[in-house]
Amino acid sequence: MTDHAHADHGHGHVKLEYQPSIPIGNGKLCLWLFLSTEIMFFAGLIATYIVLRFGVPANTWPLPHDVHLVESIGAFNTFVLICSSVSIVLALEASRQNQPGLAKGWMIITFVLGAVFLGVKAYEYKEKFAHGIYPRRPRSLIHEKADIYYVQAVRTELKARFDKMLPHEQEYQARVKELEGKADLSTGEQAELDHLKRELLYRPLFVSLAQWTELKAAKEDDPIKRRQAMEMLADAIYPLHHTLRDQEQYIALLEEEARQLPTSIQEVSSQQASLQGDSDKLKAELAMLIEKSTQLSTQRGKLQEQKDKLKPIEAKPAATSALPRGESFVSLQPAEAQPSPAEQKLIDEIAAIDAQIADLAQQQKDRGVAAGQLDEQIAALKARHEALQGRLDLLPLLKEAEQVGQPHHGLNDFLHGIMLPMRIPSGNMWASTYFLMTGFHAIHVLVGLIAFVLILFYTLDVKKAHVIENIGLYWHFVDLVWIFLFPLLYLF
């Protein structure tokens, strides 16, 4: 019984083991504290993006294709990061099993996958920059809407390029003819030909696209037509046609304009011909008046010569008035010369001719003013005719640049490197948030890659498993952030 009592008494004792701190290492604790701050940071960024994205009016936030985001590329990068998370878990398991070589191999694979992710992201950034999409406005070509400021920006850009091309225009045209005359062109010559053709397009684009729209926006009475002209300019450069139906509607507008322009050209030509006839008639009358005035001037000159040849009557001393005795006075005033009858006749004839010349001069002035006004109207009609014809000649290029059925279209994509200002609603806000979130994420990826490089210098046996585990936690966090970014940026 004593033994039983002692046994019961032994079972009644519980040994407690006290830990001096929480049962995780200091490194992991610091990592979790760091990750908690990073979670709050990215949560704030993502929440801000969600508020901005879904707080704007409907259809005023760019779709992925509007800003050259490709869903398949984003999905590929997501797959790469998921694979990297798997590989770092395998590296941890190899390290715990004391297989340092295998662990190092998986770490190298994780590093390569992370580098692939950054490489793809760099390619996406390059595509944005190549299309004028920057995180800040000074270098960005994005305009929020197609208004008069957008038209002015397009005109200014094309004017600068047109002025730069103009001194070499004839040289470029001659070179284009020379290259087009060759049967076989080398790769370099073909590239040169494409470049020269693109340079020569700056004239029609400046005159028949930018100036045309500017005149429409400034002088069109109908505000709807003014708005439509500016929208057509934006659609020609960087269209936001999301469906095939949108593209077909745009082509229909261009075709309707192509049908109306010949009628307008014919009307202007008729007005120009009519005014030209009136101008020719006025100029013929003006020529007759000038000829008649010349004849009268010649006749007057002859009469003046005859008058000058006539000898005037000599002046007689003026009569002296009676003076007191002893005084005398001699008048110094000569008597007025009286014209002879022949001279008086010539004077009268000259005066009559002067009156006719003055009347003819007034008629010449009136007809000259009228002819000048007609010439101004004719010049305006001629400029209008050239503008209409230039616009008609440009429409086939605009239709071809639409590239119906293609995801990216418009002059900016069709004429590679032209880089004109583009209209993207909320585009600057999108660019700021996109580059901010993906930029910070890319920095975190880069930090992870640096950590991978540093750990590769160690022997990744079981003693270093905790280091791989800590780095793996950080890398899983980076992957998790991308899991949230991918659908927000690429799918909505």
Side-chain angles (χ1 to χ4, degrees):
M1 184 169 182
T2 304
D3 294 339
H4 180 66
H6 279 295
D8 290 340
H9 180 71
H11 283 295
H13 285 285
V14 178
K15 292 183 179 181
L16 299 178
E17 182 178 352
Y18 294 94
Q19 295 288 341
S21 61
I22 58 177
I24 59 174
N26 292 335
K28 185 178 292 186
L29 175 62
C30 292
L31 179 64
W32 276 113
L33 291 175
F34 170 72
L35 291 181
S36 64
T37 61
E38 294 298 289
I39 289 171
M40 289 186 288
F41 174 73
F42 277 102
L45 284 181
I46 294 173
T48 302
Y49 177 84
I50 292 173
V51 170
L52 293 173
R53 166 64 182 88
F54 297 100
V56 298
N59 300 322
T60 58
W61 191 264
L63 297 180
H65 284 263
D66 297 339
V67 286
H68 295 271
L69 275 182
V70 182
E71 293 89 339
S72 58
I73 293 179
F76 172 76
N77 249 5
T78 304
F79 175 75
V80 166
L81 277 189
I82 292 174
C83 290
S84 69
S85 289
V86 173
S87 63
I88 201 169
V89 169
L90 294 175
L92 175 60
E93 289 301 317
S95 178
R96 285 175 174 174
Q97 294 175 10
N98 204 24
Q99 296 178 329
L102 183 59
K104 185 170 290 189
W106 284 117
M107 289 300 297
I108 292 174
I109 292 175
T110 305
F111 173 83
V112 171
L113 291 173
V116 169
F117 177 88
L118 284 185
V120 173
K121 185 54 62 180
Y123 167 78
E124 289 187 310
Y125 276 21
K126 181 182 71 68
E127 286 297 301
K128 307 294 179 296
F129 297 154
H131 289 86
I133 300 175
Y134 290 89
R136 296 183 59 193
R137 177 174 284 278
R139 295 189 64 188
S140 176
L141 298 177
I142 297 175
H143 288 252
E144 299 293 325
K145 56 183 178 179
D147 54 10
I148 193 65
Y149 301 104
Y150 172 73
V151 177
Q152 183 183 20
V154 174
R155 183 188 183 279
T156 302
E157 183 66 28
L158 283 173
K159 180 66 164 58
R161 302 185 188 191
F162 172 66
D163 290 341
K164 185 178 179 181
M165 181 276 302
L166 189 58
H168 311 284
E169 186 174 22
Q170 294 183 352
E171 175 188 346
Y172 289 169
Q173 291 174 345
R175 180 58 176 165
V176 167
K177 290 182 180 179
E178 178 184 350
L179 291 174
E180 289 180 338
K182 290 186 176 181
D184 295 323
L185 294 177
S186 65
T187 304
E189 289 176 333
Q190 185 62 50
E192 181 187 3
L193 178 61
D194 294 339
H195 171 73
L196 293 177
K197 285 183 175 180
R198 186 167 60 249
E199 289 289 314
L200 291 173
L201 281 175
Y202 286 134
R203 173 184 286 277
L205 289 177
F206 172 65
V207 175
S208 301
L209 185 65
Q211 282 190 335
W212 171 273
T213 305
E214 190 176 41
L215 290 174
K216 282 274 189 179
K219 296 185 177 181
E220 189 65 54
D221 295 330
D222 189 349
I224 297 178
K225 292 184 178 180
R226 291 200 301 267
R227 168 58 57 188
Q228 185 181 32
M230 293 185 287
E231 292 288 341
M232 290 287 286
L233 172 67
D235 287 340
I237 294 173
Y238 196 84
L240 302 178
H241 300 149
H242 302 135
T243 65
L244 182 60
R245 182 180 179 183
D246 292 336
Q247 292 181 299
E248 291 174 346
Q249 288 178 348
Y250 172 72
I251 294 296
L253 289 175
L254 293 179
E255 291 176 347
E256 178 63 23
E257 187 177 2
R259 286 191 294 269
Q260 293 176 355
L261 282 174
T263 303
S264 300
I265 292 173
Q266 183 60 39
E267 292 176 356
V268 171
S269 298
S270 300
Q271 295 176 15
Q272 186 178 352
S274 176
L275 291 178
Q276 188 63 53
D278 295 341
S279 177
D280 293 341
K281 183 178 179 181
L282 274 177
K283 290 178 180 177
E285 293 178 359
L286 184 60
M288 292 175 61
L289 292 173
I290 292 173
E291 182 180 359
K292 189 174 182 180
S293 178
T294 303
Q295 293 174 354
L296 288 175
S297 297
T298 303
Q299 184 179 353
R300 183 189 185 285
K302 292 180 180 179
L303 292 176
Q304 186 65 41
E305 289 177 0
Q306 295 177 20
K307 175 179 174 296
D308 293 340
K309 290 179 181 179
L310 292 178
K311 195 173 183 180
I313 300 175
E314 297 203 2
K316 298 179 180 180
T320 59
S321 57
L323 295 172
R325 184 182 299 272
E327 297 182 9
S328 63
F329 176 78
V330 178
S331 175
L332 300 177
Q333 298 291 332
E336 291 184 5
Q338 298 295 324
S340 65
E343 186 180 6
Q344 186 62 48
K345 181 180 179 183
L346 291 174
I347 291 173
D348 293 340
E349 290 179 357
I350 289 173
I353 290 175
D354 286 341
Q356 294 181 43
I357 290 175
D359 181 62
L360 289 174
Q362 184 61 43
Q363 293 183 46
Q364 291 176 36
K365 181 179 178 181
D366 295 340
R367 282 168 173 75
V369 171
Q373 293 175 346
L374 284 177
D375 287 343
E376 290 179 358
Q377 296 178 27
I378 292 171
L381 288 173
K382 182 179 179 181
R384 176 66 176 167
H385 184 279
E386 292 178 353
L388 290 169
Q389 187 62 51
R391 179 68 177 181
L392 183 61
D393 294 339
L394 182 66
L395 290 180
L397 173 64
L398 300 184
K399 291 171 64 176
E400 186 178 2
E402 179 61 16
Q403 302 182 87
V404 176
Q406 299 296 321
H408 299 298
H409 36 268
L411 293 173
N412 272 10
D413 282 309
F414 186 70
L415 304 174
H416 300 291
I418 194 169
M419 293 282 289
L420 295 176
M422 52 195 170
R423 179 272 321 267
I424 303 178
S426 301
N428 286 305
M429 181 61 70
W430 178 90
S432 298
T433 54
Y434 170 81
F435 285 105
L436 183 66
M437 292 192 298
T438 59
F440 274 115
H441 181 262
I443 291 174
H444 283 71
V445 173
L446 182 61
V447 170
L449 295 183
I450 294 174
F452 295 155
V453 171
L454 294 177
I455 199 174
L456 288 175
F457 289 100
Y458 295 95
T459 301
L460 302 181
D461 53 12
V462 67
K463 296 179 181 180
K464 295 297 181 181
H466 67 285
V467 178
I468 298 178
E469 182 180 7
N470 291 340
I471 295 177
L473 285 174
Y474 171 81
W475 193 249
H476 293 325
F477 165 75
V478 172
D479 293 356
L480 183 63
V481 170
W482 181 254
I483 295 299
F484 282 96
L485 293 181
F486 168 66
L488 284 176
L489 296 174
Y490 289 82
L491 303 181
F492 296 101

